[in-house]
Amino acid sequence: MENLFWLGVVGALIALLFAYSQAKRVKKFSEGTSTMQKIAAAIRKGANAYLKRQYKTVAIIFAVIAVVLALLAYVPWIDGAGLVNKFVPFAFVTGGFYSCLAGFVGMRIATTANARTANAASESLNRGLRVAISSGSVMGFTVVGLGILDVSVWFLILEYGFHCDADTIANTMVMFGMGASCAALFARVGGGIFTKAADVGADLVGKVEAGIPEDDPRNPATIADNVGDNVGDVAGMGADLYESYVGSILATFAIGASAGYGWNGMFLPLSIAVVGVICSLIGSFMIKTGEKASQRELLKSMRTGTYFAAALCAVLCIPLTWFVMKDVEGASWIGILVSIFCGLAAGCAIGYVTEYYTSDTYKPTQNLANATETGAATTIIGGISLGMVSTAAPILIIGVAVIVSFLASGGTLTTGSEMYEISFNNGLYGIGISAIGMLATLGITLATDAYGPVADNAGGIAEMSGLGEEVRERTDALDSLGNTTAATGKGFAIGSAALTALALLVSYVEVAEEALGGPMDLSVTNPAVLVGLFVGAMLVFIFGALTMSAVQKAAQHVVVEVRRQFREIAGIMEGETEPDYESCVDLCTSGALRAMVLPALLAVIVPIGTGLILGVEGVVGLLAGTTVCGFGMAVFMSNSGGAWDNAKKYIEAGNHGGKGSDCHKAGVIGDTVGDPFKDTSGPSLNILIKLCSTVSIVFSAVIANVHLF
């Protein structure tokens, strides 16, 4: 079976070639008028400048961490050996590089497609949709292509270059996700701070105080707002889901080895990923719509592609699972197949639930819009309560998926069984495979997510270019759809993070017990575990506070700058003078880069610090607390923010007085509160969950040998 791993490279090439073909397709469309081209060029320039500065900062931090890992790997600390695997420093760098590359490619195509989408929308709604979704496909298939390529190449190096056995490769590669997670967290946090500082600043001064429309060229923060859509919602999301994708595969590798499934247990998750690429590719061609389509019809079009891809993947996984696992001793290929189905179904279910709570075609968001009738306070209260109640369904879905996958794959909840340890490992493999199933069709899922910022930028360019009202109506429809798909993508990312984090937690326990040379006491009555649980929950709140505060401070600077320009630069409000757009871009850039470092470093420092004080058991508690608390908080914040945003869009469509009404102003205030919820703090939490796990795995030997209690 080990000789079939080269199929991973083939799957990666298929994904990357399709991404390339979609990029060429997008570039064939016209960017429109000279004004549209000028605006698109300004957005592209700002996004490139920000990412260049962000990557310089990240490179310095990566260099320091890589040196530390090299010292731990190659200096003989104990018994003439290093404390981490010798391949980890190199894998750390490659994981970070691919994660950044995925985000950069997505950002470049998004800034290429925005004006083209606006111009295509001037011809028809479906044409605009196709350009935007083609751009999103570049992002989606680049992420899965680079992810599969990274995993496959490292496997082939370890197998054929160093002749490692299956167990060694699995236990080595589970440590490789740290680089991808670190890069993703910097991208998500930094990009999230940038985009929401610009968005909040633009809305508060432009819409609420000055009473001018969204994306009005007179607003100095408009270009920064559009830049932020690309660096946060495209580059950040791409890096985020890249590390989820890679992390789930690597964690399942390790669990498969522990279950005694050998090469077969490692090949199955990789082969599912390859099948998912093909299914996503086919599903992407099924997304289309007619002119004058309603939001419900547009959502149906998106669901048609994603649901078809998931259904096709489920069908193809039947013969695949039978072929790979039928002869594996102790494995039930039917049970493992059920686990795959669980992941696919859970992913679709979480996507639908997120859509229900955030789309203005359903009652929750419509009721939130109704709350604007009595002011901003009731709007904010309603959004918070909506987000809280929306956590129930995803938690129950993940809970059912975990239990069913565990039991179907051979696990048992009867701890007194003689074969409990064997059945436990079998069940855990099912959970890992369930996470793989959820992420199998990531190509099309991320395509529909990355579509959103492109549609948002297209609407802004249409407004600033003075395109007709009909064009603006089309781009508004595409933008509103993008808000929902983005919220759905975040829900999907958070759900997959929960399953992946559970698999990584198990991997940490196994690695730590090997370092200790015996079992751990993981009872909640163990003070180290209990204190670790509290520290994990605390970390979630501190991380959220730091990221929210960063947006607040950066947004304040933008608000002050926009007010200054309105006050001091003559002719702005009359449209006779062009605002100083670059000053707002620079403010957002410097604010994001300053504020992103501390939250990201906390994810590295806290697990190590907890381990050095409380030992390996304390880290288990911390990971459990971070996973449970972080999952609930992430769902709450993402759905609240998405609902506030679409409630505002619902009013702008002509309900409750439409644009400029008191209800609209209340909706805008709700949206500005929700901006850091849904695009900064909320989606960053799922990366925090996984990064804590991968850091703990990498440093498990250090913690096992050096701790205070």
Side-chain angles (χ1 to χ4, degrees), residues 81-383:
L83 291 175
V84 303
N85 191 286
K86 64 182 180 180
F87 300 107
V88 168
F90 304 102
F92 172 78
V93 173
T94 62
F97 173 78
Y98 278 133
S99 182
C100 291
L101 180 60
F104 178 77
V105 170
M107 183 278 296
R108 289 295 299 252
I109 191 62
T111 55
T112 299
N114 48 17
R116 289 174 166 85
T117 300
N119 190 60
S122 66
E123 300 177 31
S124 73
L125 181 64
N126 184 60
R127 196 168 177 84
L129 176 66
R130 288 306 313 173
V131 176
I133 201 65
S134 293
S135 169
S137 295
V138 177
M139 174 83 270
F141 286 89
T142 297
V143 166
V144 298
L146 291 177
I148 296 174
L149 185 65
D150 191 17
V151 171
S152 300
V153 168
W154 268 110
F155 175 89
L156 295 173
I157 289 172
L158 295 175
E159 163 65 11
Y160 295 104
F162 294 89
H163 306 290
C164 299
D165 58 31
D167 288 354
T168 302
I169 292 176
N171 292 330
T172 298
M173 292 187 68
V174 75
M175 301 183 182
F176 287 5
M178 182 177 169
S181 295
C182 278
L185 192 57
F186 279 112
R188 228 352 165 174
V189 172
I193 294 170
F194 184 111
T195 184
K196 294 304 108 178
D199 201 355
V200 171
D203 284 353
L204 286 179
V205 185
K207 287 184 177 181
V208 178
E209 295 182 7
I212 59 178
E214 185 174 6
D215 298 314
D216 193 296
R218 294 172 292 178
N219 194 326
T222 296
I223 295 296
D225 186 9
N226 284 281
V227 169
D229 290 335
N230 295 285
V231 300
D233 296 337
V234 178
M237 173 59 83
D240 176 357
L241 284 172
Y242 174 87
E243 67 91 27
S244 288
Y245 193 65
V246 171
S248 65
I249 295 174
L250 297 179
T252 309
F253 272 17
I255 297 173
S258 298
Y261 294 163
W263 299 116
N264 299 65
M266 296 171 64
F267 180 69
L268 182 60
L270 186 65
S271 59
I272 294 172
V274 174
V275 168
V277 167
I278 298 169
C279 296
S280 296
L281 193 154
I282 297 171
S284 67
F285 291 106
M286 303 186 69
I287 300 175
K288 55 186 178 181
T289 189
E291 195 62 30
K292 304 296 183 181
S294 65
Q295 275 300 300
R296 191 177 294 274
E297 290 169 331
L298 286 170
L299 285 168
K300 183 180 178 182
S301 172
M302 288 291 190
R303 285 201 300 267
T304 298
T306 54
Y307 288 179
F308 178 85
L312 181 60
C313 185
V315 172
L316 294 179
C317 280
I318 297 173
L320 174 66
T321 307
W322 173 83
F323 172 74
V324 177
M325 303 301 294
K326 63 179 174 54
D327 296 324
V328 178
E329 185 178 354
S332 169
W333 75 268
I334 294 178
I336 293 171
L337 180 65
V338 171
S339 299
I340 298 173
F341 291 168
C342 279
L344 287 165
C348 292
I350 288 176
Y352 179 79
V353 168
T354 305
E355 177 186 315
Y356 174 76
Y357 280 106
T358 59
S359 173
D360 62 15
T361 60
Y362 298 101
K363 284 293 184 182
T365 297
Q366 292 176 3
N367 290 336
L368 182 59
N370 294 340
T372 62
E373 295 280 355
T374 49
T378 51
T379 305
I380 292 170
I381 293 170

Side-chain angles (χ1 to χ4, degrees), residues 343 346 398 401-402 431-432 434-436 438 494-504:
I398 292 296
V402 167
I431 295 173
S434 183
I436 300 293
M438 182 178 288
I494 295 165
S496 65
L499 289 177
T500 302
L502 180 57
L504 289 169

Side-chain angles (χ1 to χ4, degrees), residues 373-398:
E373 295 280 355
T374 49
T378 51
T379 305
I380 292 170
I381 293 170
I384 291 174
S385 66
L386 182 153
M388 287 180 172
V389 78
S390 74
T391 63
I395 289 173
L396 292 174
I397 290 168
I398 292 296

Side-chain angles (χ1 to χ4, degrees), residues 629-679:
C629 186
F631 177 64
M633 183 70 78
V635 173
F636 154 64
M637 298 183 87
S638 293
N639 287 350
S640 284
W644 274 315
D645 195 349
N646 276 338
K648 177 200 68 176
K649 293 288 185 185
Y650 184 70
I651 295 169
E652 290 175 345
N655 301 288
H656 301 286
K659 293 181 179 180
S661 65
D662 289 340
C663 289
H664 183 228
K665 291 179 179 179
V668 170
I669 292 173
D671 181 36
T672 57
V673 173
D675 276 336
F677 271 48
K678 69 180 175 67
D679 289 324

